[in-house]
Amino acid sequence: MKPASRWMITVAAVTLSACATTTPEAPDTSMSFFVTSVNPGNGADLGGLAGADAYCSDLADSVGVTGKTWKAYLSSSTENARDRIGSGPWYNADGALVASSVDELLGDSNNLTKQTAVSESGDVINGRGDEPNRHDILTGSAANGRSTGSTCEDWTSSGEGTATVGHHDRTGGGDDPTSWSSAHGSRGCSIEALQATGGDGLFYCFAQ
């Protein structure tokens, strides 16, 4: 065998060896899901979907999570929450996997519980049995992530109307008390009405 041929074989072997030992890229487990720690200040009037998305981004920025496109898990008369949030996977502030896909998120195998549905700072949100109870999370969505039509005038009303809420702690009363997306309707759209129902005007945020 000619020296040049041996050299080519050696180079090919080294290249194949390098490819075989390349380790897969580690997944990004930085925060891509949280529950807002506090209402923006006007009940279910969030400034529409755009205002809610901007608030998600502001809260993420406040804890140093930047460079992501944030969407509120909220449906409206023109959009379904499930279509707004990207494809996953999503991790909370503690690095815990909440769901790897939309189907998993809206199915029975998601990892949404009171302990994992935490705020942007990683704090556990009060649930049923805590004082005050804050487990009603604004969604305007059915369990399948599609609009129920109960959205406080597409998140622009802080007065009359109603909003579909889910239970982040997966317990309580309502039509489907274990649903994080669609447990029951609120008594109104003001912060006082939302608090009287068992919530505090909080909502879910996902990074696309």
Side-chain angles (χ1 to χ4, degrees), residues 1-12:
M1 184 180 292
K2 295 181 179 179
S5 299
R6 293 194 188 96
W7 179 83
M8 292 174 66
I9 292 172
T10 301
V11 170

Side-chain angles (χ1 to χ4, degrees), residues 12-25:
V14 170
T15 302
L16 288 172
S17 176
C19 292
T21 58
T22 299
T23 56
E25 186 176 346

